[in-house]
Amino acid sequence: MLEAVRQQVLEANLELVRRGLVIYTWGNVSAYDKDSGYVVIKPSGIEYEQLRAEDMVVLDLEGHVIEGHYKPSSDTPTHLVLYQHFPEIGAVVHTHSTWAAIFAQAGRDIPALGTTHADYFYGSVPCTRELTADEIRGEYEKNTGAVIAETFASRGISSCDVPAALVREHGPFTWGRDPQEAVYHAVVLEQVAKMAYHTMTLQQIGAEEKPMQLELLDKHYLRKHGANAYYGQ
């Protein structure tokens, strides 16, 4: 079942390793197949070098396993909430990549400080509030997805304009139309987080960051995205 999607999810998970975004079993990729209504996700706790396409787990949006001989990722409920709240997305990535996780652990947004950021994220990449003790003791992974959706709704952020979020004291999630694009966004997020950290250091951490010019943010983002985009072929 969904052999092509399983292969895409496998390759996306392995790309995280090649790009240095995960070690050991940290991280996972899923894809949502809109034709079947099923989600394909990496199994829980399996080393990347052991993974095969047939090891990927197929579930419905309620989390019921449809096919698979392993348990799905422990982060599966987070992925499912994101698919339910952001119906335009087709894949989700979660990592603990160093620079993005630094911002998450500090409870800081990644500010838009330059054009590299603006090419991919229309404004700051938001960091969520911390989960309450009840949310952690309860359906923790589901509540992790819910706090991302809450952050985007409360701040009026489009999941298409900013395809990433930081969960406070945890780490980054990114998404895209397919697994390849979601991984691409995870790679870009890590790079812009690194650049932002060093920029903020030079500006003296603790001082208020000066955001980039709005005109420059608009120019770089909108030349790649939206009805009047003109970048590329």
Side-chain angles (χ1 to χ4, degrees), residues 15-211:
E15 182 69 5
L16 293 179
V17 178
R18 287 191 289 268
R19 295 290 181 174
L21 298 188
V22 299
I23 59 175
Y24 297 122
T25 61
W26 304 6
N28 40 71
V29 179
S30 72
Y32 176 51
D33 179 68
K34 295 181 180 179
D35 291 335
S36 65
Y38 292 154
V39 172
V40 177
I41 195 166
K42 172 183 173 289
S44 178
I46 305 297
E47 297 282 351
Y48 285 89
E49 59 268 23
Q50 299 175 15
L51 286 176
R52 303 168 300 169
E54 55 266 35
D55 297 330
M56 303 300 113
V57 184
V58 181
L59 313 98
D60 63 22
L61 280 176
E62 283 68 52
H64 304 115
V65 174
I66 304 301
E67 190 171 90
H69 49 272
Y70 287 120
K71 293 190 299 182
S73 167
S74 58
D75 292 308
T76 294
T78 308
H79 291 238
L80 298 180
V81 170
L82 294 179
Y83 291 127
Q84 291 161 6
H85 281 83
F86 302 151
E88 65 278 0
I89 70 177
V92 174
V93 169
H94 173 48
T95 75
H96 291 259
S97 61
T98 303
W99 294 99
I102 286 170
F103 276 86
Q105 290 180 170
R108 300 282 294 269
D109 293 359
I110 302 174
L113 299 177
T115 61
T116 309
H117 184 118
D119 280 339
Y120 301 97
F121 305 109
Y122 192 40
S124 297
V125 174
C127 185
T128 70
R129 64 170 173 81
E130 63 182 23
L131 293 173
T132 67
D134 285 343
E135 287 170 333
I136 294 168
R137 285 192 292 260
E139 295 182 277
Y140 167 66
E141 290 83 6
K142 182 177 180 179
N143 290 330
T144 297
V147 78
I148 295 173
E150 171 196 294
T151 299
F152 275 65
S154 65
R155 298 202 201 180
I157 302 171
S158 163
S159 61
C160 294
D161 290 343
V162 182
L166 307 177
V167 177
R168 190 183 182 102
E169 299 172 353
H170 185 169
F173 286 80
T174 62
W175 46 82
R177 292 168 294 185
D178 53 41
Q180 182 181 25
E181 185 177 68
V183 170
Y184 187 90
H185 288 152
V187 175
V188 171
L189 179 69
E190 180 68 356
Q191 186 65 18
V192 299
K194 180 179 179 180
M195 295 169 70
Y197 179 89
H198 287 296
T199 301
M200 294 163 69
T201 300
L202 288 175
Q203 293 175 341
Q204 297 185 334
I205 292 179
E208 184 177 352
E209 312 85 59
K210 179 181 180 298

